[in-house]
Structure formats: C-alpha cells, structure tokens
Amino acid sequence: MKRGFTLIELLAIMVVLGMIAVIAIPNIQTAFSKSKQNLLENQIKSIENVARSWGVKNTNKLDDCYVLTLDELKRLGYLENQDVINPETKEELDGCIKITFDESINQYKYTYTESTLCSCNN
C-alpha cells in the first residue's frame, strides 16, 4: 500500500495556505508601514532635540522666530547624513526646524517643518 497525499488533500492544503496568506499579508504590510511612520516620528523628535542643543549654545542668535536648516545642523556637526533620511521614501529630509518663542510658557518651541514652510512669516 502506497502512502502519500491525494490530489484533493493537496488542493485543500493549498486553499488553506492561500486563505492564511490573504489574511496575513495585509497585516504584515500595515505593521511595516506603522513601523516606518514611528521611525520617522522618532527621527524628527531626535532632530528637534539636536536643534535644542544648538539653541542652548546659540541663544544670542534666537529672536521671536528663527529658522534652522538641517544643512546648517549637518555643517556644524550636529547631524550626520544618515540622521536625515526619511525611512518611508528613502530620500533626504529637506525641512528645517522653526524655533519660536512661546510667551505663555516663557521658552522656545522647536518644530520640524517641511521645506516649503521654512519661514517665520507663516
């Protein structure tokens, strides 16, 4: 007597595996997408913290509003090139840090802004 699977049994296994793949693949893609978004958010927080370090050493340059570019932070050695790569697009971030004085809390706010909004007039 031969042992093995029949064609029907193999087809049933293929159908079950296909259903598992249909359920699992979107969840895996969502997890990767959320992971990249979280990484980008953490990277921006890190860049804002680096800008705070710059601000502490350069209080004489700060006014009600100051725009600090990522290029300037790299040029001064506060950032390295790998620190400013967007994990979602794999392209370099081209924004800036907008430093504004918040009178209600009597301190500066550091906010990453896209390059098209890098101005104190907004």
Side-chain angles (χ1 to χ4, degrees):
M1 179 156 126
K2 290 185 177 182
R3 293 188 165 216
F5 294 106
T6 66
L7 183 58
I8 299 290
E9 291 170 327
L10 290 174
L11 286 173
I13 290 171
M14 295 292 284
V15 167
V16 169
L17 290 175
M19 289 178 9
I20 291 172
V22 165
I23 293 169
I25 289 174
N27 291 334
I28 292 169
Q29 289 174 333
T30 300
F32 276 121
S33 178
K34 285 182 182 178
S35 174
K36 288 180 182 179
Q37 180 63 34
N38 288 341
L39 181 59
L40 177 62
E41 290 171 5
N42 288 335
Q43 188 173 24
I44 289 173
K45 286 179 187 175
S46 177
I47 291 170
E48 289 172 349
N49 286 333
V50 167
R52 281 184 184 83
S53 295
W54 177 91
V56 166
K57 294 178 183 176
N58 294 282
T59 54
N60 58 326
K61 293 183 179 181
L62 298 178
D63 201 8
D64 287 342
C65 181
Y66 185 86
V67 174
L68 180 61
T69 65
L70 298 182
D71 286 337
E72 187 174 354
L73 286 172
K74 284 193 287 187
R75 184 176 49 77
L76 295 171
Y78 286 89
L79 288 175
E80 295 182 15
N81 283 335
Q82 70 266 18
D83 294 334
V84 291
I85 301 296
N86 184 331
E88 294 176 331
T89 63
K90 304 290 187 224
E91 295 178 0
E92 193 170 347
L93 293 172
D94 61 351
C96 64
I97 303 298
K98 192 184 288 189
I99 305 170
T100 54
F101 188 74
D102 187 344
E103 292 182 13
S104 64
I105 55 175
N106 199 32
Q107 60 183 322
Y108 287 97
K109 282 179 40 179
Y110 294 77
T111 310
Y112 176 80
T113 306
E114 294 297 323
S115 64
T116 56
L117 303 173
C118 286
S119 152
C120 284
N121 299 328
N122 310 40

